[in-house]
Amino acid sequence: MTDPKTERIEKKNCRRKCAGGGANAGGCACGAGAEKDGGSGGSGWMTVAKIAFSAAALAWSLFAPAPVVGGTAVDPAWIAVLLCGVPIAIEAVEALVRAFDVKADLLVAVALVAALASGEIFAAGEVAFIMALGEELEDWTVRRARRGIERLVSLSPRMARIVAQDGSERMVPADEVRAGNRVRVLPGETVPADGTVSDGHTALDQSAVTGEPMPEDKGPGDSVASGSVNRFGAFDFVASRDGTDGTLQRMIRLVQAADARKTRMVRLADRWATWIVAAAFATALAAWLATGEALRAVAVLVVFCPCSLVLATPTAVMAAIGNATKHGFLVREGDALERLAGVSRAAFDKTGTLTLAKPGVVAVESVGGVVSQGELLRLAGAAESRSEHPLGRAVAARAREEAGRLAEPESFEMVPGRGVRARVGGRAVAAGTAGFAGSSAESDEVARRWRERGCTVVHVAVDGSPAGVLALSDTLRGDAAESVAGVRSAGVEPVLLTGDNEGAAREAARSVGISEVKSACLPEDKLAWVVASEAHDRPVCMIGDGVNDAPALKAARVGIAVCGSGNDLAADAADIALVGGGMKGLPHLLRLARKTRRTIAAGLVFSMAVNFAAVALAAAGLLPPVAGALVHNAGSFLVVANSALLLHFKS
Ligand code: ADP
Ligand code: MG
């Protein structure tokens, strides 16, 4: 974050966003002060000023004599009515007229008019103020989630892999790509510039660029657009334009995604609005008809306004997101935590999630006399040089150490969850699971031996014959067992979903203490398992890191991506991103989610109880409008204070 380059990009993002984006102007992470937003920049500070003015005006109205203007005393609460109330009323009327949509705001608007008509300026201003505050807090929650995204982006600066004349690769920041450069893109990576494919085949997910959700096949001669995500193969392309700022593009896309999902979240007060509005009007009318006192009806309308209801959810979510961030979890959507509270299973991926993302090659054994040991490593390394998989990277790195530069594969294909196929120096090389690459009795025996020592094994075949086995130390994360135990004690059943074979899966599951295991999963098997579990009313929290986990992350009630290997596809598919490794915060996150849900429920129940009591008193004529508005405020204050406790919640 302190790197001057990242900062420059962030500033640029902010400018672009603020210029383009209207409502989302506040809360830019410029300079990235963690606590300094509350509405910084753009419309943010306008809203803060509006709310502060209104609060001051209300305090004046309550505690000091009204100023006299032109011979008559004018209640300063008018300021709150005008600043906060008028926009709400306009919006409510618009919604009603345009879409015949009854929103909670409608009740507020009617209560405002009724209160003003009967001269209860303070009560009107007070209600308008609280409603505006609730709305602003809700926006703030969204902005806060967005800041998490910004951090995620700035933590993984976009890079491009430039291929030099001699075939060597060099990583440069995406915006240093120049027209004419040859650029390589591995599976799961984002295309850093526009250009034309020169070599290789793949499918690109262009939803970020064109909005088209189906991946499109690309081969030599096809054009590719900056910002699309590479789904399967590795390919080279020649940039036709200088690299655009990939960070910016990605950011805009993520922000749009977050916004699109936000619209699906309906405010609780609005979900019940029709009932609240109907009950309020009926009670007010009954009180009026029964007693003939219009003021009672006004008081009923005022206390019926769902003020603490609109405050309960956003304040709790906001505090909980802040808490989660401290533990390394970036929550991309406000309602992800609420959803997390309902999960009953946690599905862990193995390689890269429970194990470290950096395995090392511990043994190379050739079998059947197909190739020598050195040749085996060189061929496997060349084939894996275009893989994004942690195992593939380890193999390529080791081969480079031993053999220097690796041969360029003439073709490359990766099959998520199984392995890679490539043509190297005219030979067909396959590396991956036994079922994928093929195995012989001899290689199975070698593989078994290494597995018994806790290694992950990659089978290699050359020209269709099993040629050897690579053993990798795929060490479990130090905190894996502890995290799994914590997840279980939080009442969530851990499950292991892995593409690795049964033996390795059982061994890993035993060491971390998971009893339910599903091994040899292709990405679609993981997806199917998640979908089936959800269908059986056992919502899943999926935790994964790779391309092969992306579909399951998306389908799960909540997807948590373990970031670090720079895999865009997994992070894009998830609701929550875990940055900086270490899963030991997971049990805390689960408990925090439950606590958040309880806090919201408590806030709602409490505020409804206060409302009902106040309505009864108002109808009975014991609570005049001003007192009613104050009772409201006390209730709201307690709800907000209770929510704020979540910020320091410890499990
Ligand atoms: P997990 O689901 O545990 O993260 P993956 O689905 O990524 O594991 O991989 C499952 C198995 O597929 C690995 O254990 C490995 O045997 C094989 N595999 C996948 N990709 C590769 C690759 N690039 N090179 C070698 N083997 C691979
Ligand atoms: Mg994985």
Side-chain angles (χ1 to χ4, degrees):
M1 293 278 273
T2 46
D3 159 26
K5 185 175 148 38
T6 334
E7 191 153 300
R8 182 169 58 77
I9 293 173
E10 279 184 353
K11 292 235 169 79
K12 202 150 92 193
N13 287 339
C14 286
R15 268 206 305 280
R16 178 76 69 95
K17 238 174 56 173
C18 298
N24 62 8
C28 279
C30 311
E35 298 315 326
K36 66 153 212 178
D37 61 344
S40 53
S43 69
W45 73 262
M46 292 269 289
T47 320
V48 170
K50 169 178 113 175
I51 286 177
F53 264 129
S54 304
L58 288 172
W60 184 357
S61 163
L62 198 60
F63 299 117
V68 176
V69 180
T72 42
V74 177
D75 193 327
W78 271 108
I79 295 179
V81 172
L82 294 178
L83 288 180
C84 300
V86 171
I88 293 178
I90 290 176
E91 227 170 81
V93 170
E94 259 182 13
L96 185 68
V97 171
R98 245 201 256 129
F100 204 72
D101 188 8
V102 177
K103 300 221 280 178
D105 288 355
L106 185 66
L107 174 58
V108 179
V110 173
L112 284 184
V113 173
L116 292 176
S118 48
E120 300 289 349
I121 317 300
F122 177 82
E126 217 264 9
V127 168
F129 167 71
I130 296 284
M131 292 301 288
L133 184 65
E135 225 160 80
E136 171 60 10
L137 287 179
E138 213 172 314
D139 281 356
W140 198 80
T141 326
V142 176
R143 284 205 299 270
R144 168 125 206 182
R146 190 176 287 137
R147 216 180 51 218
I149 300 171
E150 286 165 11
R151 230 185 92 195
L152 174 62
V153 173
S154 69
L155 280 178
S156 53
R158 294 302 90 197
M159 301 296 277
R161 198 181 300 273
I162 299 216
V163 185
Q165 287 287 320
D166 63 356
S168 62
E169 291 176 14
R170 187 166 50 94
M171 298 296 285
V172 303
D175 49 4
E176 285 175 23
V177 174
R178 293 288 160 262
N181 280 160
R182 184 161 146 221
V183 184
R184 178 159 298 160
V185 185
L186 302 186
E189 292 182 341
T190 305
V191 178
D194 295 345
T196 310
V197 178
S198 59
D199 192 18
H201 288 268
T202 191
L204 284 189
D205 177 348
Q206 300 178 305
S207 51
V209 189
T210 61
E212 165 62 48
M214 285 299 292
E216 201 177 302
D217 290 336
K218 296 283 185 186
D222 291 336
S223 62
V224 294
S226 164
S228 13
V229 179
N230 186 14
R231 293 290 286 270
F232 298 114
F235 65 93
D236 289 358
F237 73 95
V238 177
S240 56
R241 264 183 249 161
D242 291 353
T244 43
D245 184 352
T247 313
L248 182 64
Q249 292 210 337
R250 181 176 148 72
M251 166 104 148
I252 291 171
R253 169 159 51 102
L254 286 173
V255 168
Q256 281 167 344
D259 280 351
R261 295 202 198 176
K262 199 236 158 188
T263 53
R264 275 194 279 135
M265 262 165 69
V266 182
R267 237 170 39 169
L268 209 65
D270 284 332
R271 223 180 293 160
W272 298 342
T274 322
W275 294 109
I276 298 177
V277 172
F281 287 166
T283 316
L285 197 67
W288 189 5
L289 292 181
T291 63
E293 285 179 41
L295 212 55
R296 286 198 192 189
V298 174
V300 167
L301 286 177
V302 166
V303 294
F304 237 114
C305 286
C307 291
S308 35
L309 215 56
V310 300
L311 289 178
T313 308
T315 50
V317 168
M318 195 162 81
I321 288 180
N323 187 320
T325 309
K326 281 192 278 184
H327 288 83
F329 293 96
L330 301 181
V331 181
R332 284 177 46 180
E333 291 172 63
D335 64 339
L337 283 175
E338 284 175 83
R339 280 185 272 132
L340 187 61
V343 304
S344 63
R345 282 168 150 178
F348 290 91
D349 162 60
K350 183 173 78 78
T351 317
T353 301
L354 285 180
T355 68
L356 292 171
K358 288 196 186 357
V361 176
V362 295
V364 180
E365 291 201 27
S366 63
V367 300
V370 181
V371 290
S372 71
Q373 201 178 329
E375 186 67 4
L376 180 71
L377 182 60
R378 272 195 298 281
L379 288 175
E384 294 279 20
S385 66
R386 299 198 181 173
S387 167
E388 94 304 346
H389 198 277
L391 295 179
R393 288 187 182 193
V395 171
R398 176 58 186 276
R400 268 190 209 104
E401 263 169 38
E402 303 262 305
R405 283 247 337 274
L406 296 173
E408 281 288 305
E410 290 106 59
S411 70
F412 170 84
E413 179 198 7
M414 88 121 173
V415 182
R418 309 202 64 186
V420 298
R421 266 191 214 102
R423 186 159 276 282
V424 181
R427 313 191 76 167
V429 182
T433 59
F436 175 77
S439 64
S440 61
E442 192 189 352
S443 66
D444 279 338
E445 175 55 26
V446 174
R448 195 187 53 75
R449 245 190 311 116
W450 283 108
R451 247 179 228 126
E452 272 171 7
R453 297 189 210 172
C455 290
T456 288
V457 170
V458 173
H459 290 261
V460 184
V462 176
D463 292 331
S465 323
V469 164
L470 306 178
L472 290 98
S473 65
D474 196 11
T475 341
L476 287 167
R477 285 181 197 269
D479 55 9
E482 188 192 328
S483 313
V484 168
V487 164
R488 182 174 285 122
S489 77
V492 174
E493 184 57 31
V495 181
L496 182 66
L497 286 190
T498 176
D500 212 344
N501 76 355
E502 178 160 358
R506 293 233 163 270
E507 176 57 29
R510 203 187 46 76
S511 336
V512 299
I514 295 182
S515 47
E516 197 179 340
V517 182
K518 193 136 176 15
S519 54
C521 289
L522 294 180
E524 46 273 38
D525 298 329
K526 293 190 181 191
L527 174 65
W529 187 90
V530 166
V531 171
S533 183
E534 296 271 344
H536 285 93
D537 224 16
R538 308 219 38 199
V540 180
C541 164
M542 171 81 202
I543 304 122
D545 72 308
V547 174
N548 59 329
D549 302 316
L553 286 171
K554 191 112 215 175
R557 181 69 52 100
V558 179
I560 302 183
V562 179
C563 297
S565 55
N567 199 312
D568 300 345
L569 212 53
D572 270 6
D575 304 290
I576 297 176
L578 172 55
V579 291
M583 247 179 306
K584 55 179 181 303
L586 201 57
H588 170 75
L589 189 72
L590 290 169
R591 290 212 161 87
L592 175 67
R594 303 246 176 90
K595 178 78 181 167
T596 307
R597 191 169 65 177
R598 283 200 301 275
T599 303
I600 292 173
L604 294 180
V605 168
F606 175 76
S607 62
M608 304 254 269
V610 170
N611 271 16
F612 276 124
V615 166
L617 291 177
L622 298 172
L623 200 61
V626 170
L630 288 177
V631 167
H632 244 71
N633 210 348
S636 306
F637 178 77
L638 286 176
V639 165
V640 171
N642 189 38
S643 293
L645 291 180
L646 280 174
L647 197 55
H648 302 289
F649 169 73
K650 287 195 184 68
S651 50

